[in-house]
């Protein structure tokens, strides 16, 4: 006979043996809060429990189970909430009996907190039959505030009404944290493996998760990377890391990160904030469908006292959303304190109708680029004092200047009449 630690709401615990925790068996009213994500039934479907087990056998002959029918979204999601955080210190592995449709597929198991989420994908091996899936979160055993589970079945595939059933959600001991004994390298912000050297993710934590690298190449052979899902209709969604102390930009002032983007020529905005005015640097995605290592020189931000780093992928674009991958976010050695003569251009007239004049040119400028309000580059020209903008549509634009090393050395906003 299997023995479990059975957990009920309001912390009523019946302990038989501490080898496992049974979180949910659906033999009576559910112990966790189960529902389609945010109770949006049309998009995220319907959930019924307890309901009779119509296909007993395989790994599950229980009388009652919980059954979920997907909504119209390709990312239709089933949500479960706990009255208390899940204990990953002792029980880092989750097990779940799953009955898939005949076509099978895969299950994404996500753990959510206010600050972050992590996910594990497992493929169905026996379609149409109950099987037990395991999701080992041992690498994240130090996270003490996960209170929500999200299940996504065949992510990215729209199949409204498709039925999946679940049962016997348990926690058990994981294989152990593979990062135990790994020495922290403070200059590495996040590598999505063993280096997580920041206080918390204060912005966009629900949109980033650790996944197996779907595009391993010589440019990035890492086993794990971050999957960032840029929300639709949120032009300034981003990913923000908070640190316990201000950055010492006299020592480490060059930020590097690898990004895999499905689209090229979209803006990447990197921002330091936390004390006074923020410091922003704009880059453009150089290539699509390829790991690219971006380097941002923040030496000009010295000696500001900022302790937050925010990355806006596709920042400013009110688009349909997209999935990006990020990895190896780190600070590298000082490149020398760089204080540019141009921080904000003096331009006139502003608003402008036909010719925009730049009054404080600098010889280090190699080229100008102009971006529209959607972050799309609309012009790229050599350094010159007057720029013809007559053909531009009315709206807000950003004029940016780059030196011979492709470092942004100045910018300014203007309005085209």
């Amino acid at each position: 006979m299997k023995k479990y630690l059975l957990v009920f709401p309001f912390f009523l615990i019946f302990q038989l043996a501490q080898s496992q925790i049974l979180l949910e068996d659906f033999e009576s009213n559910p112990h966790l809060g189960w529902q389609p994500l945010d109770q949006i039934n049309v998009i995220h479907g319907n959930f019924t429990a307890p309901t009779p087990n119509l296909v007993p056998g395989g790994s599950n002959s229980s009388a009652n189970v919980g059954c979920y029918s997907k909504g119209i979204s390709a990312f239709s999601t089933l949500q479960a909430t706990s009255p208390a955080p899940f204990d990953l210190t002792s029980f880092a592995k989750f097990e779940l009996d799953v009955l898939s449709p005949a076509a099978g597929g895969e299950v994404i198991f996500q753990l959510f907190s206010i600050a972050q989420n992590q996910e594990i994908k497992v493929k169905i091996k026996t379609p149409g039959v109950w099987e037990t899936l395991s999701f080992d979160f041992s690498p994240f055993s130090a996270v003490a505030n996960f209170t929500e589970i999200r299940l996504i079945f065949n992510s990215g595939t729209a199949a409204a009404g498709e039925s999946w059933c679940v049962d016997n959600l348990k926690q058990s001991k994981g294989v152990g944290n593979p990062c135990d004994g790994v020495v922290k390298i403070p200059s590495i912000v996040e590598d999505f493996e063993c280096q997580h050297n920041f206080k918390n993710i204060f912005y966009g934590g629900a949109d980033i998760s650790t996944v197996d690298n779907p595009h391993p190449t010589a440019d990035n052979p890492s086993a794990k990377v971050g999957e960032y899902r840029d929300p639709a209709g949120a032009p300034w969604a981003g990913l923000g890391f908070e640190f316990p102390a201000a950055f010492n930009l006299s020592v480490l002032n060059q930020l590097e990160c690898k990004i895999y983007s499905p689209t090229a020529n979209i803006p990447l905005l990197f921002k330091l904030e936390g004390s006074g005015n923020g410091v922003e640097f704009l880059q453009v995605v150089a290539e699509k469908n390829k790991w690219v290592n971006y380097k941002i020189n923040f030496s000009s931000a010295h000696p500001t006292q900022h302790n937050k780093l925010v990355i806006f992928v596709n920042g400013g674009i009110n688009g349909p959303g997209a999935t990006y991958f990020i990895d190896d976010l780190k600070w590298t050695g000082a490149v020398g304190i760089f204080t540019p003569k141009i921080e904000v251009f003096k331009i006139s007239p502003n608003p402008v109708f036909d010719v925009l004049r730049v009054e404080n040119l600098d010889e280090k400028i190699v080229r100008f680029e102009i971006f529209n309000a959607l972050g799309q580059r609309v012009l790229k020209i050599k350094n010159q004092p007057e720029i013809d903008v007559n053909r531009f549509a009315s709206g807000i634009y950003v004029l940016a200047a780059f030196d011979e090393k492709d470092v942004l050395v100045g910018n300014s906003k203007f309005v085209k009449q």
Side-chain angles (χ1 to χ4, degrees):
M1 176 184 295
K2 293 182 179 179
K3 295 183 179 181
Y4 307 114
L5 179 66
L6 185 60
V7 179
F8 295 95
F10 310 110
F11 312 103
L12 176 61
I13 300 177
F14 175 61
Q15 180 174 348
L16 295 177
Q18 291 194 19
S19 60
Q20 288 183 321
I21 299 175
L22 177 60
L23 298 172
E24 190 70 85
D25 63 3
F26 298 115
E27 293 306 318
S28 58
N29 290 331
H31 305 313
L32 303 179
W34 294 86
Q35 64 182 27
L37 183 62
D38 298 331
Q39 296 183 322
I40 306 176
N41 296 84
V42 173
I43 295 176
H44 292 290
N46 294 278
F47 183 75
T48 305
T51 187
N53 182 359
L54 300 180
V55 191
S59 66
N60 184 24
S61 297
S62 300
N64 293 317
V65 299
C67 286
Y68 172 65
S69 59
K70 295 178 65 172
I72 63 173
S73 171
F75 299 94
S76 187
T77 302
L78 175 62
Q79 180 182 42
T81 54
S82 171
F86 299 109
D87 175 17
L88 301 187
T89 303
S90 301
F91 304 96
K93 182 169 69 173
F94 289 80
E95 296 181 359
L96 180 69
D97 289 340
V98 175
L99 175 63
S100 70
E106 69 175 17
V107 178
I108 295 179
F109 192 109
Q110 297 179 332
L111 288 181
F112 266 72
S113 72
I114 295 176
Q116 64 173 302
N117 72 292
Q118 301 294 343
E119 73 177 34
I120 296 175
K121 298 179 183 179
V122 174
K123 290 186 177 181
I124 295 294
K125 295 181 179 178
T126 56
V129 179
W130 282 103
E131 66 176 296
T132 300
L133 305 184
S134 296
F135 309 87
D136 195 336
F137 287 89
S138 293
F140 315 106
S141 58
V143 181
N145 57 357
F146 287 127
T147 58
E148 180 183 329
I149 294 171
R150 294 185 184 181
L151 300 174
I152 306 176
F153 305 96
N154 285 339
S155 173
T157 302
E162 183 180 75
S163 179
W164 293 72
C165 295
V166 296
D167 198 15
N168 299 324
L169 175 63
K170 309 163 191 171
Q171 279 183 266
S172 60
K173 295 182 182 297
V175 298
N177 189 345
C179 295
D180 286 345
V182 174
V183 177
K184 286 189 175 184
I185 304 175
S187 60
I188 299 177
V189 176
E190 175 66 275
D191 69 354
F192 299 98
E193 292 181 13
C194 294
Q195 299 290 341
H196 319 287
N197 301 314
F198 49 89
K199 181 179 178 182
N200 66 282
I201 299 178
F202 75 95
Y203 185 60
D207 301 318
I208 185 74
S209 56
T210 301
V211 300
D212 291 335
N213 185 355
H215 308 290
T217 65
D219 295 318
N220 186 17
S222 297
K224 299 287 185 180
V225 298
E227 181 182 67
Y228 174 68
R229 294 178 178 174
D230 191 37
W236 291 110
L239 185 61
F241 298 89
E242 182 178 7
F243 299 80
F247 307 116
N248 185 350
L249 298 177
S250 67
V251 178
L252 297 173
N253 53 35
Q254 182 149 317
L255 182 72
E256 294 188 20
C257 75
K258 296 174 183 175
I259 293 178
Y260 189 102
S261 171
T263 309
N265 296 321
I266 61 170
L268 288 175
L269 183 65
F270 298 86
K271 182 178 182 181
L272 300 185
E273 58 182 43
S275 178
N277 295 329
V279 180
E280 299 180 355
F281 283 90
L282 178 68
Q283 288 211 3
V284 177
V285 171
E287 297 182 67
K288 67 178 182 179
N289 299 329
K290 180 181 180 181
W291 283 106
V292 178
N293 189 45
Y294 295 90
K295 298 181 180 181
I296 303 89
N297 183 355
F298 275 107
S299 62
S300 63
H302 178 76
T304 56
Q305 295 293 301
H306 294 300
N307 70 326
K308 294 180 180 179
L309 167 66
V310 188
I311 302 173
F312 298 95
V313 181
N314 222 9
I317 296 181
N318 189 9
T323 298
Y324 304 85
F325 297 96
I326 184 172
D327 198 18
D328 295 335
L329 183 60
K330 60 185 178 181
W331 292 100
T332 57
V335 295
I337 300 304
F338 167 59
T339 306
K341 296 179 181 179
I342 299 175
E343 294 183 355
V344 177
F345 289 121
K346 296 178 182 178
I347 55 178
S348 67
N350 191 9
V352 59
F353 180 75
D354 50 9
V355 177
L356 182 71
R357 300 179 184 85
V358 183
E359 300 177 5
N360 54 337
L361 286 177
D362 191 281
E363 61 182 9
K364 70 170 62 70
I365 296 173
V366 172
R367 73 179 191 280
F368 287 115
E369 295 184 12
I370 294 180
F371 299 86
N372 62 18
L374 296 179
Q376 299 167 321
R377 186 172 63 192
V378 296
L379 183 66
K380 178 180 178 180
I381 60 173
K382 294 181 179 180
N383 180 359
Q384 58 189 60
E386 295 186 347
I387 303 172
D388 184 1
V389 297
N390 184 56
R391 63 183 179 85
F392 292 175
S394 298
I396 299 175
Y397 294 84
V398 173
L399 174 68
F402 298 85
D403 65 14
E404 61 182 6
K405 296 182 180 180
D406 285 334
V407 174
L408 179 71
V409 295
N411 60 16
S412 189
K413 291 182 180 180
F414 68 90
V415 176
K416 168 63 172 64
Q417 290 182 324

